[in-house]
Each structure stands twice: as structure tokens, then as C-alpha cells.
């Protein structure tokens, strides 16, 4: 059931609800400090949403960073013999906001499931992603993709490293024309171009999307990845989530870090994803960890744009006092505040200020409603 968003406390309500949800599935909270050694982020900066990291030198001369990411900290803290870790976090990270060149403190909530390799672990993560979106809005979609499937299609086309990068760029930007033009320029045959076109254009319910791809020419690796995606969708459908799922292979993460299932969550009236996640076994290997891992993060900064409605007025009541004496102004403001109004007093009308009621105060203390401001 979606929570009611209070104008002042919606973020606290979300955190309380999600904490109860994650703890109910056996996840425990992970807490980290604000600072981490910079070298960890430098070595894996292409994993981050932004390559720029705020750094400083501590009193011991070490180069430190204001944390731009939580997942890497969790991976780093995982021991090689940890059989299973189920963690959730509610942390602030420091990075550039989307579409901005300024740093911001961004609030994130997420879960990480480390050690599980079975279908249930993956399905549980997806279910919690769905329930997280349900907490925010009844109108939501979870877009599902599979890095193994996309990688297998690109490999079958015979792209070299540069061509592969260009193909991924075109795919993630849903630029079918650019993708097919690239394929044809390097001699990809018509059958594989048809497959590329389907990969770039699919955005529909799992059952229809998977049936569509089964009519195309798939190799063994593609078929295995598609079957894995289908099985995960079937488990979610059994949990009653089918109407909120969509297959979209333009959802692609960094292949050096992610493998298998990846996903993004959307809510009504927001163009960008508010939730993103996937399987990141490759990141674990970068840290020389043997376990599998999957998780997601909810971006509260995106939700702020959805739930913060612009105020119709800057103040409830405005008093324009001109040359009235300070004592007169104070008495007038006190009088108007007796009924609980917010009152702002200004000598003259500020440009662009919006007020529900505007009064002019004469020098003798008389208040008159202004009709021309």
C-alpha cells in the first residue's frame, strides 16, 4: 500500500516504511562514515555515476574522498569467506546531480544481497524493488534487461571494442537508426540487424517481449540469458507483479562491472529512473571477492522533484508599510498574526513576490486591502 506523502516529512515516512520492509526480509542496516580512501574510487571511477569525486588530504597526509557510492564500500568490507550478507542502507553520497556541474549531497536507500547465486535471491531482490516502488507510488514500472543477452547479441555481430562502445551508446539512447547504420557499415548481416533492431525497440510486457524474441535467430548464449530473464519474470508474476513489469534491453549498465539481470524503476510524472540495480558479480571480481552479488538503490533526490509542489504564494499576508513608524508596523503585524497567519512586512513591494493577501499600512496605523498589487 502506498504511503501518504506529507509535505514536511515524506522522506522520513519513506525511510521508516522501507526500513520495516527490508528488516522484514532479514536484511540488516549497513552504516558507513562520510570519508573513504580516494584510491578505491580512483581505481574504479568508471563504475561511478560521475567520475569526479570530492577529495581532501587528512591530517595524516592521506588523500580521502567524500563518499560518492555505497556499494563499493560494502563490497570492500565483504570478506572472502562471507557465505551470505543481506544489507540495506540509508546514506548520503556526494556527487554531481544529473544535468548539473555542481556537487550535491544525495540521499540514497538501497539493498545489497551478497553470496546468493540461486533464483530465489534474484527474485527476492526484484520483489523488494517492486515493493520499494509501491511504497512511493501506485503508478510504477520496473524495466528489466539482461547484460548477458545484450552482450551476446553484440558479440554475435562481431563488433570490435570501439564499435561495441558505439553500439551501446546508440542502444542506451534508443537510437535505432544509428545502431543499424553502424552494423551495416561493418558488414553485419540482415538477420543480425533484425535482432539488433528488436533489441533497440522492445519495451513491452515480459510475456510478449520474450515470445517476440523466440521468433528470431538466437544462439545458445542468447537463449540461456533470455530463459533466465523469463524465469525471473515468472516468479514476480506469481507474486502478483506482472502488470508492472516491462522488458527493455536499452537498460544497460557498465559491462565491466555488471552481468546478468539489470533493472530500473520509474514512477508516474518523472522522466528519469528513481531506482536502479542489477547483478554485479564483475565488480566483486574487481575486488577479488568470490561471491555473487545483486542490489539496487532508490534515489531520493529524484523523488524530491516529484513530491515537492511549488508553492502558490511566497507568503500568506504581505504588509506594505511605506513611511509608517516601526511601532505602528509591529502593532499591525501582531494584529494580523492573531489569527495564525504568516505575515511578511516590507517597505515597498518586492519584485516577483507572491502573496495571498496584500495590505497597505498608513502612517496612522490603518490597514487597507490592496487591490492593485
Amino acid at each position: 500500500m502506498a504511503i501518504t506523502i506529507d509535505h514536511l516529512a515524506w522522506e522520513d515516512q519513506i525511510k521508516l516504511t522501507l526500513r520495516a520492509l527490508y528488516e522484514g526480509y532479514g536484511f540488516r542496516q549497513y552504516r558507513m562514515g562520510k570519508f573513504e580512501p580516494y584510491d578505491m574510487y580512483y581505481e574504479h571511477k568508471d563504475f561511478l555515476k560521475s567520475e569526479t569525486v570530492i577529495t581532501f588530504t587528512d591530517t595524516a597526509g592521506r588523500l580521502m574522498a567524500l563518499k560518492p557510492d555505497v556499494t563499493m564500500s560494502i563490497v570492500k568490507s565483504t570478506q572472502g569467506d562471507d557465505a551470505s550478507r543481506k544489507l540495506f542502507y540509508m546514506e548520503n553520497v556526494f556527487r554531481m546531480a544529473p544535468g548539473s556541474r555542481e556537487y550535491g549531497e544525495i540521499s540514497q536507500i538501497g539493498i545489497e544481497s551478497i553470496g546468493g547465486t540461486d533464483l530465489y535471491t534474484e527474485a527476492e531482490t526484484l520483489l523488494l524493488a517492486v515493493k520499494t516502488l509501491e511504497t512511493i507510488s501506485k503508478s510504477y514500472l520496473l524495466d528489466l534487461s539482461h547484460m548477458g543477452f545484450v552482450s551476446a547479441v553484440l558479440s554475435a555481430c562481431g563488433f570490435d571494442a570501439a564499435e561495441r562502445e558505439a553500439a551501446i551508446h546508440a542502444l542506451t539512447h534508443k537510437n535505432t537508426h544509428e545502431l543499424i547504420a553502424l552494423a551495416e557499415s561493418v558488414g553485419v548481416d540482415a538477420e543480425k540487424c533484425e535482432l539488433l533492431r528488436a533489441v533497440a525497440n522492445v519495451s513491452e510486457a515480459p510475456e510478449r517481449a520474450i515470445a517476440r524474441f523466440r521468433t528470431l535467430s538466437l544462439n545458445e548464449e542468447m537463449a540461456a540469458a533470455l530463459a533466465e530473464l523469463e524465469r525471473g519474470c515468472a516468479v514476480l508474476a506469481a507474486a502478483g507483479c506482472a502488470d508492472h513489469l516491462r522488458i527493455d534491453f536499452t537498460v544497460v549498465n557498465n559491462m565491466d562491472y555488471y552481468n546478468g539481470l539489470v533493472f530500473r524503476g520509474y514512477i508516474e510524472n518523472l522522466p528519469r529512473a528513481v531506482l536502479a540495480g542489477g547483478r554485479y558479480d564483475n565488480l566483486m571480481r574487481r575486488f577479488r571477492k568470490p561471491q555473487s552479488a545483486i542490489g539496487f538503490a532508490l534515489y531520493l533526490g529524484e523523488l524530491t522533484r516529484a513530491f515537492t509542489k511549488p508553492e502558490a504564494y511566497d507568503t500568506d499576508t504581505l504588509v506594505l508599510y511605506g513611511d509608517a513608524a516601526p511601532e505602528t508596523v509591529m502593532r499591525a503585524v501582531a494584529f494580523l498574526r492573531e489569527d495564525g497567519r504568516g505575515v511578511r512586512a516590507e517597505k515597498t513591494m518586492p519584485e516577483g513576490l507572491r502573496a495571498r493577501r496584500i495590505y497597505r499600512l498608513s502612517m496612522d496605523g490603518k490597514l487597507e486591502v490592496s487591490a492593485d498589487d
Side-chain angles (χ1 to χ4, degrees):
M1 179 178 180
I3 62 175
T4 301
I5 304 298
D6 181 82
H7 177 66
L8 297 177
W10 66 267
E11 187 170 323
D12 289 336
Q13 291 177 333
I14 288 171
K15 288 179 177 179
L16 285 171
T17 304
L18 293 181
R19 177 174 183 154
L21 170 65
Y22 303 150
E23 288 180 341
Y25 279 79
F27 287 70
R28 62 182 182 84
Q29 188 165 3
Y30 176 85
R31 293 181 174 87
M32 63 181 292
K34 289 187 176 181
F35 316 123
E36 289 272 4
Y38 173 66
D39 58 356
M40 176 177 73
Y41 299 115
Y42 177 77
E43 291 173 13
H44 305 284
K45 62 182 180 180
D46 50 343
F47 173 76
L48 303 173
K49 298 292 183 184
S50 170
E51 292 189 3
T52 53
V53 178
I54 303 173
T55 60
F56 66 96
T57 303
D58 68 7
T59 55
R62 296 176 302 175
L63 188 60
M64 304 294 288
L66 280 172
K67 63 182 181 191
D69 183 76
V70 182
T71 300
M72 279 201 285
S73 176
I74 291 175
V75 172
K76 180 184 176 184
S77 70
T78 299
Q79 302 302 308
D81 58 355
D82 285 337
S84 176
R85 298 183 82 194
K86 291 193 174 187
L87 306 172
F88 74 91
Y89 60 85
M90 298 179 176
E91 297 281 344
N92 291 343
V93 297
F94 300 84
R95 61 173 65 152
M96 286 186 180
S100 169
R101 297 302 298 171
E102 296 183 358
Y103 287 103
E105 186 173 5
I106 302 169
S107 186
Q108 286 188 355
I109 299 173
I111 71 165
E112 309 293 349
S113 188
I114 296 175
T117 58
D118 61 327
L119 178 61
Y120 175 77
T121 300
E122 196 166 270
E124 180 184 65
T125 304
L126 288 173
L127 180 64
L128 288 173
V130 166
K131 289 182 176 293
T132 297
L133 293 169
E134 281 180 347
T135 298
I136 309 305
S137 172
K138 291 181 179 178
S139 298
Y140 69 89
L141 276 173
L142 189 68
D143 280 0
L144 303 167
S145 180
H146 196 290
M147 299 295 289
F149 184 83
V150 174
S151 179
V153 171
L154 298 181
S155 295
C157 292
F159 293 133
D160 63 23
E163 292 159 357
R164 189 183 183 92
E165 185 175 341
I168 291 172
H169 180 271
L171 183 62
T172 56
H173 287 81
K174 298 181 183 291
N175 192 332
T176 307
H177 175 76
E178 182 181 317
L179 181 63
I180 300 304
L182 170 68
E184 291 176 343
S185 72
V186 297
V188 175
D189 63 43
E191 189 175 63
K192 291 186 177 64
C193 281
E194 183 184 0
L195 180 57
L196 276 175
R197 190 175 285 106
V199 167
N201 291 328
V202 67
S203 182
E204 56 189 347
E207 186 176 344
R208 292 196 300 272
I210 290 168
R212 175 182 174 186
F213 276 93
R214 287 236 166 86
T215 66
L216 302 175
S217 179
L218 306 180
N219 62 27
E220 186 176 338
E221 187 178 358
M222 296 174 204
L226 195 66
E228 182 183 336
L229 183 58
E230 181 181 31
R231 187 74 181 96
C233 290
V235 175
L236 282 181
C241 307
D243 292 341
H244 297 277
L245 304 179
R246 185 170 61 184
I247 299 295
D248 186 341
F249 287 125
T250 68
V251 176
V252 178
N253 292 341
N254 190 318
M255 291 187 177
D256 290 335
Y257 295 95
Y258 288 91
N259 61 293
L261 182 75
V262 290
F263 51 91
R264 289 181 193 155
Y266 297 85
I267 63 172
E268 193 175 30
N269 298 325
L270 274 182
R272 285 198 293 260
V274 298
L275 179 148
R279 180 168 290 284
Y280 53 91
D281 298 353
N282 293 343
L283 176 63
M284 298 294 290
R285 304 299 172 265
R286 288 288 193 100
F287 279 83
R288 298 180 176 84
K289 312 290 183 179
Q291 300 93 332
S292 293
I294 187 171
F296 64 79
L298 174 72
Y299 306 122
L300 290 181
E302 294 296 331
L303 296 180
T304 300
R305 282 181 271 277
F307 296 130
T308 302
K309 297 180 180 178
E311 296 289 340
Y313 301 100
D314 301 304
T315 185
D316 182 77
T317 301
L318 174 66
V319 175
L320 300 175
Y321 56 82
D323 294 325
E327 295 86 353
T328 303
V329 179
M330 285 190 175
R331 283 194 295 270
V333 170
F335 170 75
L336 291 171
R337 282 182 49 79
E338 285 180 359
D339 63 357
R341 300 183 195 180
V343 181
R344 176 170 173 169
E346 296 281 355
K347 186 176 180 67
T348 60
M349 184 70 186
E351 184 177 354
L353 186 72
R354 301 164 302 169
R356 190 184 304 275
R357 306 176 187 86
I358 302 176
Y359 292 89
R360 291 189 177 275
L361 179 64
S362 65
M363 293 180 65
D364 61 2
K366 184 178 180 180
L367 284 167
E368 294 183 350
V369 176
S370 175
D372 56 352
D373 289 291

